[in-house]
Amino acid sequence: MASRRVLQIGGATVAVGGAYYLYSAGGNPSVAEKKLEHDVSAAGARLKGQDMSGKEAQKKGEVLAKEAGATLDRTVDNVRADIRQADKVITSKMHEAGSKVDQLRDEGTKAFNDTSKELQQTADSFDKKVNQKTSEAKSGISSWLGFGK
């Protein structure tokens, strides 16, 4: 008996619900069907906890936008800090390289001057020997020819 009563109540509920949707759609069954589908999906979303009103969705969107903005700000700050650090490292390396270039230039100049001095001394020594040997040769030739001492 109870199951018969449940069937009657269920049938009456379906009939009243159908009449409501048909009445609200102005008697158009396809529009009534679309409204029913919309309401069923909205009820399912509410049951799953996904239902949001326009204001709730806007608030959630604003919260998400603030979080995304904060994340973006942190990322930009981190990138700026990394760039400043890289700039410091690059500046330091440039100074080191400049010092190394100056040191190598000084060493090269000193080596060039030392080599130049040695070359000059060798040239002077060679010139002295040539003059000495020339003098000796002149005196030898002069003595052969009878002009000598």
Side-chain angles (χ1 to χ4, degrees):
M1 206 56 164
S3 64
R4 186 172 179 186
R5 182 90 170 139
V6 172
L7 283 176
Q8 285 178 346
I9 293 174
T13 304
V14 169
V16 170
Y20 165 75
Y21 282 106
L22 193 56
Y23 176 77
S24 67
N28 189 342
S30 64
V31 173
E33 183 180 356
K34 292 200 186 288
K35 283 187 177 187
L36 176 65
E37 288 174 0
H38 177 289
D39 288 348
V40 167
S41 76
R46 267 189 229 119
L47 289 174
K48 292 179 184 176
Q50 298 173 350
D51 183 43
M52 282 191 229
S53 68
K55 288 183 181 181
E56 290 173 350
Q58 184 177 2
K59 285 180 185 177
K60 186 160 186 156
E62 289 172 359
V63 168
L64 291 174
K66 285 180 185 177
E67 289 175 2
T71 301
L72 182 61
D73 289 342
R74 281 192 305 273
T75 302
V76 167
D77 290 342
N78 290 341
V79 168
R80 285 182 178 155
D82 290 347
I83 289 172
R84 281 192 293 273
Q85 183 62 30
D87 188 43
K88 287 179 185 177
V89 169
I90 289 170
T91 303
S92 171
K93 295 296 181 182
M94 283 176 41
H95 288 300
E96 287 177 23
S99 297
K100 187 69 173 176
V101 165
D102 291 343
Q103 178 187 359
L104 290 173
R105 181 180 48 237
D106 293 345
E107 289 174 4
T109 302
K110 184 178 182 292
F112 175 78
N113 289 340
D114 291 348
T115 304
S116 177
K117 190 183 276 186
E118 287 177 25
L119 181 63
Q120 187 67 34
Q121 288 173 350
T122 305
D124 288 346
S125 172
F126 176 76
D127 195 32
K128 240 184 223 183
K129 283 184 183 179
V130 167
N131 285 337
Q132 181 184 10
K133 295 293 181 181
T134 304
S135 294
E136 290 174 8
K138 277 185 183 177
S139 68
I141 292 175
S142 295
S143 65
W144 288 348
L145 299 175
F147 299 115
K149 303 179 181 177

